[in-house]
Amino acid sequence: MATIRHVLFDADGVLQQIRGGFYEAAEPLLGEHTRAVLDEASERERPLLAGDEDFLPVLAQVLWEQGLDVAAADLYAAVWQNTELSPASFDLVRRLRAAGYGIHLGTNQVRRRAEYMRTELGYDELFDVRLYSCDLGVAKPDPGFFEKAATRIGADADAILFVDDHAANVAGARSTGMAAVHWWLDEGHDALVERLAEHGVRPA
């Protein structure tokens, strides 16, 4: 087993979550239309993850098609910018850095939310290398995301451990030679520490 020197973290579901829940955050604005609107918006968001196109007009179009008199900016703020950081996750990040690991961010985000994470949530100050799909031009689980990630980190793939809450993304990382752990916030951080230890990764 190769020695892991870098840990690459996904954001949503691992480091942060929508306060109150994805659908629950939208219900005051959308009511019974919540699931239909958010599911359709999420589907149309996917092609935007690897480029610069703004998500807000796409969200406005979905609302118009549903016949809803709701401002896209209001819905976006209530859901996509209603982000709660996990103190326990960031404590673990700091402990891993103290143990000598490179700590990096690898996340699928449209340009608008990536900028929000950089400026409002302070991600640029927290991670050594920040890898947003909109910057890389490719989104997880495409192996190209992980190949570019390894290049930007400056390490061989087998020296990097990736943590993500989606099994498909974990599989994408493994296909390039990275070690990868499938984990999400609801499992608790003790479970994550145990899975990291299986790869020889231990926080200070």
Side-chain angles (χ1 to χ4, degrees):
M1 184 171 63
T3 300
I4 302 297
R5 299 309 313 154
H6 301 270
V7 184
L8 176 63
F9 285 93
D10 175 42
D12 293 295
V14 172
L15 300 170
Q16 64 186 30
Q17 60 189 345
I18 303 301
R19 189 175 286 104
F22 183 61
Y23 295 108
E24 291 79 2
E27 282 180 353
L29 289 172
L30 301 179
E32 64 182 11
H33 301 280
T34 296
R35 224 163 248 285
V37 170
L38 293 190
D39 287 352
E40 182 63 25
S42 296
E43 186 66 26
R44 297 190 194 184
E45 181 188 36
R46 287 193 185 98
L48 279 58
L49 293 171
D52 287 321
E53 186 178 348
D54 190 9
F55 178 52
L56 216 57
V58 174
L59 187 57
Q61 178 67 22
V62 173
L63 289 164
W64 179 82
E65 290 173 2
Q66 292 286 333
L68 296 172
D69 186 21
V70 175
D74 291 343
L75 179 59
Y76 186 83
V79 180
W80 286 269
Q81 289 185 332
N82 185 18
T83 305
E84 180 178 42
L85 301 180
S86 166
S89 289
F90 284 97
D91 179 64
L92 179 58
V93 164
R94 287 187 287 270
R95 290 168 58 205
L96 287 167
R97 174 174 283 118
Y101 296 97
I103 303 299
H104 316 289
L105 177 71
T107 180
N108 283 348
Q109 302 292 342
V110 297
R111 177 67 60 195
R112 177 178 288 267
R113 193 156 186 254
E115 293 304 321
Y116 162 73
M117 290 170 63
R118 288 184 172 116
T119 59
E120 300 299 322
L121 301 183
Y123 272 88
D124 278 3
E125 300 172 3
L126 294 167
F127 293 89
D128 301 322
V129 178
R130 287 80 57 188
L131 302 157
Y132 297 91
S133 59
C134 58
D135 291 333
L136 295 183
V138 61
K140 301 177 290 184
D142 191 312
F145 179 97
F146 302 101
E147 291 165 355
K148 289 189 175 185
T151 297
R152 296 210 181 184
I153 290 169
D156 292 336
D158 62 3
I160 303 169
L161 174 62
F162 175 60
V163 182
D164 198 286
D165 62 324
H166 289 288
N169 295 339
V170 169
R174 288 174 177 163
S175 75
T176 68
M178 281 188 191
V181 167
H182 185 211
W183 177 86
W184 58 96
L185 283 165
D186 288 350
E187 291 188 89
H189 290 79
D190 287 346
L192 177 54
V193 170
E194 289 177 2
R195 289 173 204 174
L196 294 177
E198 292 172 0
H199 295 274
V201 174
R202 294 176 176 83

